[in-house]
Amino acid sequence: MSVSGTAVGAPRTESGRTERRRPPRATARDTVRVLTRVLAPGVARGVVVPRPWTGRLGLDRFADAEINRLRDRYGLGPLRLAVPGRSVALILDEGHARRVLSGEFPPVGRERRSALAHYTFGSAPAHQTAGSPDAEVEPPGDVERIVREEIRPLAADGTIGWDEVRPALRRAVRRIVLGDTARDDELLTGLLDRLRTDANWGYLRRRRDPVRWRFLARIRAHLRRAGRAEGTGTVPESLVERAPLLLAELEDAGAVAYRALGLLAAHPGAPAEARADVTYLQAAVREARRLWPDEPAVLRDTRRKTRWDGAELPAGTTLVVPTVWLHRPARFAPVASTLPPDPALRTATAMIKSLIDGYDVRPAGPGGLIPMPRTLHPSELRFSFRRARE
């Protein structure tokens, strides 16, 4: 396959011109199976904000078997789905997944854009997210110092769960993004929760504009108090547009960090190695993101007719890469998405460092963390801390 668009060895007609054909098309029955067994469990879990109860049902346990069945029947795809009024293609091949993630296609498709529109403002949703390379989302706060001040005291209590970590993490995130005056503004985070819950439904739910404007007003006020306004007293729109993305991204990074703490606790000696080597710690964070991806699928839209191994997809096709399947097999690990390098990865790393610096961490409660479950919500984890041996 050639990423440039012309496939090597594509079938040719007698005239020598490349034959134009479309990738295989799933039957209506198989499309329903994809929707119910591969995509619906992720949608039920929550596209933007995970719903904890869905993980305990194990709804995604059929995804791998279903995708392997489709590969056996239709080949490596992309497999066009029989969706009325839309061109949708399911990615079934490692090389195709790499291409989708290579940057050739817009990083924010129509579904993602409709979700972001519930809690973002201005032009940001159309061209960037907090993790995109050109987003310029470096927050003004001192990340490591703030995270340590808010998170570190929790370890001294001996045993902590997500119910203790989450409020401290949210205080840290508000300080990092909006300044110290936002530390105790729980109303702002509550407004964001309401908007992101609506975002799970995308364009199926109307935007709550009154809630959005209240949320926006509080962001502007905090940025102004933090000294981020210009000489005229006006806060730059670029800062206002980035703030909701950062608030969401950094809180999600905290959930990833908490799962990564579970990985460290489940392997004897891992916490000590993580304390000594920050690259090892970052690898644990990325591995947690791979094992428990935030989004049920990677979606990209084609801007023009696109060639795939001699076949052709029309412009405007939505490419679907199911992350539950993509992230788990070892052979696909290199294409699994990771946390953006900065500031989310730095925030997640700082959070774990603040908890394990000088402490050994162990699973708390019956059963421990071995084996780690396929679907893991942070609320399912609880840890105990004790002084590390010198």
Side-chain angles (χ1 to χ4, degrees):
M1 179 198 69
S2 171
V3 173
S4 62
T6 301
V8 177
R12 294 179 177 273
T13 63
E14 292 182 359
S15 64
R17 291 183 298 179
T18 302
E19 179 185 358
R20 295 186 177 182
R21 60 182 178 84
R22 289 198 171 187
R25 183 181 180 89
T27 64
R29 181 173 182 272
D30 281 340
T31 296
V32 171
R33 288 174 64 107
V34 169
L35 296 176
T36 56
R37 296 192 172 204
V38 179
L39 301 181
V43 174
R45 189 191 67 184
V47 176
V48 177
V49 180
R51 302 178 178 99
W53 59 270
T54 60
R56 292 188 287 271
L57 299 179
L59 297 176
D60 62 355
R61 63 186 181 274
F62 302 110
D64 289 350
E66 182 61 26
I67 290 176
N68 290 333
R69 186 188 71 83
L70 294 172
R71 283 161 59 96
D72 290 340
R73 178 172 184 180
Y74 295 100
L76 299 182
L79 177 63
R80 293 183 299 143
L81 302 180
V83 178
R86 292 283 299 273
S87 177
V88 180
L90 185 68
I91 300 299
L92 302 174
D93 175 63
E94 174 188 1
H96 294 170
R98 289 180 185 276
R99 181 180 178 184
V100 171
L101 299 175
S102 68
E104 179 182 355
F105 305 103
V108 182
R110 67 191 78 175
E111 277 76 18
R112 182 67 173 169
R113 187 180 296 110
S114 69
L116 287 172
H118 282 276
Y119 64 94
T120 56
F121 307 89
S123 60
H127 67 276
Q128 68 184 40
T129 66
S132 62
D134 61 344
E136 299 179 0
V137 292
E138 181 66 22
D142 183 341
V143 172
E144 293 192 14
R145 175 183 60 81
I146 292 174
V147 170
R148 188 175 184 87
E149 288 175 359
E150 298 292 347
I151 299 293
R152 173 67 176 177
L154 300 177
D157 292 337
T159 302
I160 62 170
W162 184 240
D163 288 342
E164 293 81 29
V165 170
R166 194 182 191 195
L169 171 67
R170 288 181 154 191
R171 290 193 295 270
V173 168
R174 289 192 295 264
R175 290 178 63 188
I176 292 169
V177 179
L178 301 174
D180 289 340
T181 63
R183 179 185 186 271
D184 298 317
D185 191 352
E186 296 180 3
L187 175 58
L188 179 137
T189 303
L191 295 173
L192 179 58
D193 285 344
R194 291 173 63 184
L195 296 174
R196 294 187 75 205
T197 300
D198 288 347
N200 276 341
W201 298 94
Y203 43 64
L204 298 179
R205 174 164 291 181
R206 292 181 60 184
R207 294 190 318 191
R208 300 194 203 196
D209 284 334
V211 179
R212 293 174 74 243
W213 301 135
R214 288 179 65 195
F215 177 57
L216 177 63
R218 300 187 81 84
I219 287 176
R220 290 187 189 278
H222 286 303
L223 289 174
R224 190 175 296 109
R225 294 190 194 103
R228 304 291 287 174
E230 297 174 334
T232 59
T234 302
V235 178
E237 285 303 307
S238 59
L239 295 182
V240 176
E241 292 174 5
R242 293 199 300 265
L245 295 170
L246 275 171
L247 289 168
E249 186 77 32
L250 297 191
E251 183 170 340
D252 290 346
V256 174
Y258 198 68
R259 294 186 183 101
L261 192 64
L263 287 177
L264 297 176
H267 295 81
E273 189 164 355
R275 286 196 300 270
D277 184 357
V278 68
T279 59
Y280 183 91
L281 180 54
Q282 290 176 339
V285 173
R286 290 190 172 98
E287 180 67 356
R289 180 69 176 267
R290 181 184 75 84
L291 290 172
W292 300 287
D294 293 334
E295 298 179 350
V298 174
L299 303 180
R300 297 290 188 267
D301 291 340
T302 62
R303 292 174 172 172
R304 57 184 179 276
K305 292 182 180 179
T306 310
R307 304 284 290 176
W308 297 83
D309 292 344
E312 185 177 84
L313 284 174
T317 297
T318 298
L319 306 173
V320 181
V321 185
T323 52
V324 170
W325 163 78
L326 175 70
H327 285 206
R328 285 286 173 165
R331 65 183 182 277
F332 291 152
V335 300
S337 62
T338 62
L339 280 173
D342 205 3
L345 180 60
R346 189 151 56 91
T347 301
T349 303
M351 177 180 168
I352 301 179
K353 282 173 59 179
S354 69
L355 289 172
I356 67 175
D357 186 15
Y359 290 97
D360 282 328
V361 58
R362 294 287 184 271
L369 297 174
I370 304 174
M372 300 296 282
R374 181 183 179 92
T375 302
L376 181 65
H377 190 271
S379 62
E380 300 174 53
L381 299 175
R382 192 166 186 85
F383 302 106
S384 61
F385 295 83
R386 64 183 180 185
R387 288 289 177 182
R389 295 177 181 177
E390 295 296 335

